Amino acid sequence: MDSGNHLKYLLQSQLATDASAIRYLPYCLSSLTAQCLLPSSHLTKWTTRIQALLHSKEAGGRWAGLCLAYKTALLSQKLMVDSAQSWLTIVLPMLSRNEPLPTLKAAIRLLRVIFTTAVEIPEFQRQVSVPNVVKFTHAVISVVDNQSDLEVKIMCLDTLTRIIVLYPTTHRASITSLSAFSLRYLNGSILGPTSREVLEAASRLYAVLPLTGGKIGAINLWRKSLDETLAFGWEAFHSLRTTFPIGGQNIVRPALVDEPQVAIPFSQDRLHCSVVTLRNLLSTTIQRPVQVPMGNLVKFIISLISCSNNDRIDGFIDPFVRSMEISVIPEIWTLGCQLLASMAEQFSYRLDPHAGRLFSILAVRLEQKVDAFQRLCLLKALDSLLKNCRPLDSTILPSRLSKSALCSITKILSSSGGAIDQNEPSSSQKKNGKKRARNFEGDELFKVTRQVAYASAEESEALLISIDVVQSLFRNPNLSSAMQSIIARLITSVLVALPRMSSAALSEDPNFLRLVSAKIQQFSFTIGSGTTSVMSKTLPFLIEAALISGKPEIQRDIGMLIHPRVPPIVRLMPHVEALSLFKAEESQEEAETLSSLGMADLHLHTHQTDDLCNDVIMKDSNIAETFILEVPKQGAQGISHTSIDHNDSPHPYREAKDRQINVPTQDLVDMERTDEKMPIPTVKFSTFVDVAKADTAPTPQAIVFLVDQEEDQEEDDEEMPAIDMGSDSEDEED
């Protein structure tokens, strides 16, 4: 269908009346394309019909006209430029009238498109945008003040932010009103916590207000805003620490309030507002270089993340106030970690002088028991510091941080071990409880509740960040060899265990297993390519993982390991005992660290048999059957067939063989010289394979030699008679 004909069809049928325009508006918007708005004879009729709808007496008709004008402005810039002036004269007064919310939203969207899509046309900016943009700004502020809907407030705040960035100097005279308007939502709320969406939108608006000062004045305005926000944050922080000693000089302690149940949540909200505003101010782009007060910001961050509940001031303390201030300490830690992560991302390598202290505080916090959200914030801050700071020049901190981050990764191995809840009875357990419970394969399919290793979204995200943290620490040259070995063994174990796990056992998100596998495989290749010693041990596991996944990039990495395209790195190779991969090679320090992580049985097989039934499965073609002579003798117990249970002797064949060797030599000599024809019964031994298969078969029989100990002692005292080696040959000659 021709583009002009489609407009003609819409004008004659769907848009013929206001009621039909409201009814068929979704179809009109979905069928309208850029080709429909090409120059034709129907464009004039189209714009005329839109203006008629904008002047409609019905609110629904005006809303339909606004939606059609918005779609037209997006599809055709030329048509928007030609009709912008007429639309502005109709739509701007709508913002000051009592219009329904859908009409107000549609009007704000249309005006925002008009002011932001034709910035590259100077004549349009001079004649249309600049004379009307300040009017639009004041109209939007009035809409925010008059409307209580959060969605409308957020949209208006975002619109103001976008408009001020494009027209900064035009709003220079309105800087005072705009600053007061934005601070109205950044000063905290007594009625309750400020909405996070409104807080983010208002802080973004406040962060771009310094741009109104121009290229030179923006520097002073930005620094003034930052200092005021930082002072505001210090005041809110001290209001939450009235029962704790305040470090530093010239710090005025805030006065105690009469209603702490209102004042403490209010101060907490104000601290939250200050931290969010600081983050947005630090991410604002300033055209000229500006000096950032790094020392004051780091001091504020350290005060937030290092506060504890141990100290207290002298004198009387209200226990209710004390308990409320202690309860907000985790929230203070979270805000400090968020500000620290933002500063590390914005100012790379500028926190190196303070990195040692920051890492020490984070290590202490990670070693404590915190909830999932707080741990996630701590790991995000640690990850940002590791990626934006130089390696730690310490031999203790990398090991502590690695040990703390590995706690999230070891849950994969704990869940893959197939541990069964002891409180839940198995399928073969009797009611009387006398028979030992046996857990059969597939019992987990009949469980009503199934445990998930990472149940919440915070735990899942913490695992992904923990892998990045451990990988960054693994590259640190100051990391101890024992921790390097533990990381290599744990990551390799996770690499082997992940393909054998189901996505439902790991997380409720079906794509989470794929994300974890990709990160673990990438980390494993980093471990394998680090040194020749580790690569030779982990290469079979890497090849197995590549064959299971089948991804071409993994196979390409394996090809780079086997056939490197670059010369090897010239460096000192580690000792063999420095990088262990198996449990037999681990040192005492590694064993203690694994025990603290709950991974003492890391390399033990999950389907082990009992210690008393530890049979060795081995085939030996040379020992298929064994024949034993049964020799009756007076004064001693004869050779008897005794049934040995696995629970009494772990290795019956070995014990029988040892006792066969201990048979007195004199008895064998007398047996050779006797003239009697003794029957020789044949007794067939069970081989190692037969013993191993005896788990479901009857108890195997073993031959045991029982010899009188007193006769053994007497024979040991007697001298062994000499044996004439030529006696047999003489008898044959006779």
Side-chain angles (χ1 to χ4, degrees), residues 635-636 662-664 667 707-720:
N662 295 330
V663 174
D667 295 342
V707 185
D708 192 2
Q709 298 180 357
E710 296 180 359
E711 185 175 353
D712 290 342
Q713 295 176 358
E714 294 176 359
E715 291 181 355
D716 291 341
D717 297 338
E718 296 179 358
E719 296 181 359
M720 293 294 295

Side-chain angles (χ1 to χ4, degrees), residues 22 201 306 375 420 475 508 556 565 609 659 692 733:
I22 299 171
S306 63
R375 181 175 177 82
I420 298 177
R475 299 191 185 99
E508 296 179 357
R556 182 181 66 251
R565 273 72 169 176
T609 55
R659 296 192 180 184
E733 292 177 359

Side-chain angles (χ1 to χ4, degrees), residues 155-168:
M155 186 180 66
C156 291
L157 291 171
D158 291 337
T159 302
L160 290 175
T161 304
R162 180 63 176 167
I163 293 297
I164 291 174
V165 171
L166 295 177
Y167 305 94

Side-chain angles (χ1 to χ4, degrees), residues 86-98:
S86 60
W87 288 349
L88 284 173
T89 57
I90 301 172
V91 177
L92 269 177
M94 290 184 183
L95 299 180
S96 59
R97 295 199 299 260
N98 189 13

Side-chain angles (χ1 to χ4, degrees), residues 605-626:
H605 200 278
T606 55
H607 299 287
Q608 271 188 329
T609 55
D610 296 337
D611 294 338
L612 299 178
C613 305
N614 194 10
D615 297 331
V616 180
I617 301 177
M618 183 173 63
K619 293 183 179 180
D620 193 352
S621 57
N622 298 328
I623 306 176
E625 295 182 356
T626 306

Side-chain angles (χ1 to χ4, degrees), residues 322-426:
R322 176 77 175 181
S323 62
M324 291 193 67
E325 291 183 355
I326 291 176
S327 64
V328 300
I329 290 178
E331 179 66 20
I332 297 176
W333 294 347
T334 302
L335 296 176
C337 292
Q338 293 175 356
L339 183 57
L340 176 59
S342 180
M343 278 197 62
E345 293 174 359
Q346 296 296 329
F347 308 103
S348 299
Y349 306 108
R350 295 294 187 271
L351 295 177
D352 290 339
H354 314 279
R357 187 174 182 184
L358 292 173
F359 279 120
S360 300
I361 298 174
L362 291 178
V364 173
R365 293 290 174 256
L366 286 172
E367 291 172 354
Q368 298 175 355
K369 292 184 179 180
V370 294
D371 58 9
F373 181 74
Q374 295 172 6
R375 181 175 177 82
L376 176 61
C377 294
L378 291 169
L379 289 173
K380 285 183 178 179
L382 178 59
D383 187 37
S384 299
L385 276 179
L386 291 172
K387 291 180 179 178
N388 297 282
C389 292
R390 291 177 176 82
L392 277 171
D393 189 14
S394 173
T395 57
I396 300 176
L397 283 178
S399 300
R400 291 180 61 187
L401 294 172
S402 301
K403 183 179 177 181
S404 301
L406 283 174
C407 296
S408 299
I409 305 177
T410 53
K411 293 175 63 176
I412 300 178
L413 300 177
S414 301
S415 60
S416 64
I420 298 177
D421 191 1
Q422 300 295 332
N423 298 327
E424 184 177 355
S426 62

Side-chain angles (χ1 to χ4, degrees), residues 473-540:
L473 291 170
F474 186 77
R475 299 191 185 99
N476 194 318
N478 297 320
L479 187 65
S480 63
S481 59
M483 187 56 65
Q484 290 182 7
S485 174
I486 290 174
I487 292 175
R489 292 161 61 188
L490 283 174
I491 297 301
T492 306
S493 301
V494 173
L495 178 67
V496 176
L498 280 177
R500 297 168 174 82
M501 293 182 61
S502 62
S503 59
L506 192 63
S507 175
E508 296 179 357
D509 186 6
N511 297 324
F512 182 66
L513 180 61
R514 178 179 57 82
L515 299 176
V516 176
S517 300
K519 283 185 173 292
I520 291 295
Q521 289 171 1
Q522 181 183 3
F523 194 4
S524 301
F525 284 112
T526 302
I527 296 173
S529 60
T531 59
T532 307
S533 175
V534 176
M535 186 188 72
S536 62
K537 297 179 181 181
T538 61
L539 188 60

